[in-house]
Structure formats: C-alpha cells, structure tokens
Amino acid sequence: QDFGAIDNPPAPVYRYTNYQKAAYTLDCNYTVKMTKGTTSFGKRHNKSHTSCRRCGKVSFHIQKKTCSSCGYPNKKMRNFNWGEKAKGRRTTGTGRMRYLKSMTRRFKNGFREGTQAKKQEA
C-alpha cells in the first residue's frame, strides 16, 4: 500500500517567540536570558548627575564636578554651533526680557520721555 505523506512526514517547522530567541539553553538544566530591557533597568540605582546650580538641569556630574549642559563651573557658558536647537533654548527672548521687550516700541517713537504723544490728524 502507498501511505504517501504518512511514511514521509515533512520536516517540522519551528517558530520561536521573542523570549525563546533571547534564551540560550546550557546543559539542558537552566536558561540564561539575554535581555537589554526590563531586567537591566532594575540595576540602575546610582546617580552620576545631580542638579546644576547655574542652569538648573540634572546635568552636573558628581565625580567630574562639571555640568554637561552649561559647563559650570567654567565662566563661559557651554554652547556649540552643532547644537542650534540647544542654543535657541537659552538665548535672548526665552525669558521675561524685562528691559528689552519695551525697546522696539520706544525706538519706534524716538525714545521720547516725559512728553505727551501728539494727536494724529486724519
């Protein structure tokens, strides 16, 4: 008789889940998981940076005693031309501008002081 597929079964197709791909069996007794995620994050409990007294960011390296954002304690502020967006975050116009915000209006009127504006005739 010809049993066809029963005599010659096809080779089994193994489908692995992500967990099985990341696990390697050693001596068939235990598995060692190779993960970069969840288990690794549990080991992060040492702080390398703390808050900077000049810029306020958590960028002051405790061992190096320098801020990776503003460069404190250097007198000059840290900035680079390749960090255009970072420069824009701390340039003129990002704060209150208590003095400069009225400057354009005063310039337009010739910096007049102590006088009344002339009435405009239509």
Side-chain angles (χ1 to χ4, degrees), residues 21-44:
K21 283 180 186 174
Y24 296 100
T25 307
L26 301 175
D27 297 332
C28 298
N29 292 331
Y30 60 93
T31 59
V32 178
K33 265 201 311 187
M34 311 289 280
T35 57
K36 295 183 280 185
T38 309
T39 53
S40 301
F41 282 104
K43 296 172 182 172
R44 305 200 312 181

Side-chain angles (χ1 to χ4, degrees), residues 17-77:
T17 62
N18 285 338
Y19 175 81
Q20 288 169 325
K21 283 180 186 174
Y24 296 100
T25 307
L26 301 175
D27 297 332
C28 298
N29 292 331
Y30 60 93
T31 59
V32 178
K33 265 201 311 187
M34 311 289 280
T35 57
K36 295 183 280 185
T38 309
T39 53
S40 301
F41 282 104
K43 296 172 182 172
R44 305 200 312 181
H45 52 73
N46 295 324
K47 290 185 178 178
S48 59
H49 292 86
T50 187
S51 59
C52 174
R53 65 201 316 188
R54 179 159 71 181
C55 67
K57 291 186 181 180
V58 185
S59 302
F60 189 79
H61 199 281
I62 298 168
Q63 287 183 324
K64 293 180 182 178
K65 297 280 190 269
T66 55
C67 178
S68 58
S69 179
C70 70
Y72 181 84
N74 291 345
K75 293 180 180 70
K76 292 185 177 180
M77 286 286 281

Side-chain angles (χ1 to χ4, degrees), residues 3 45 56 62 73-75 101-103 120:
F3 291 107
H45 52 73
I62 298 168
N74 291 345
K75 293 180 180 70
K101 66 182 166 189
S102 62
M103 190 59 66
Q120 293 181 344

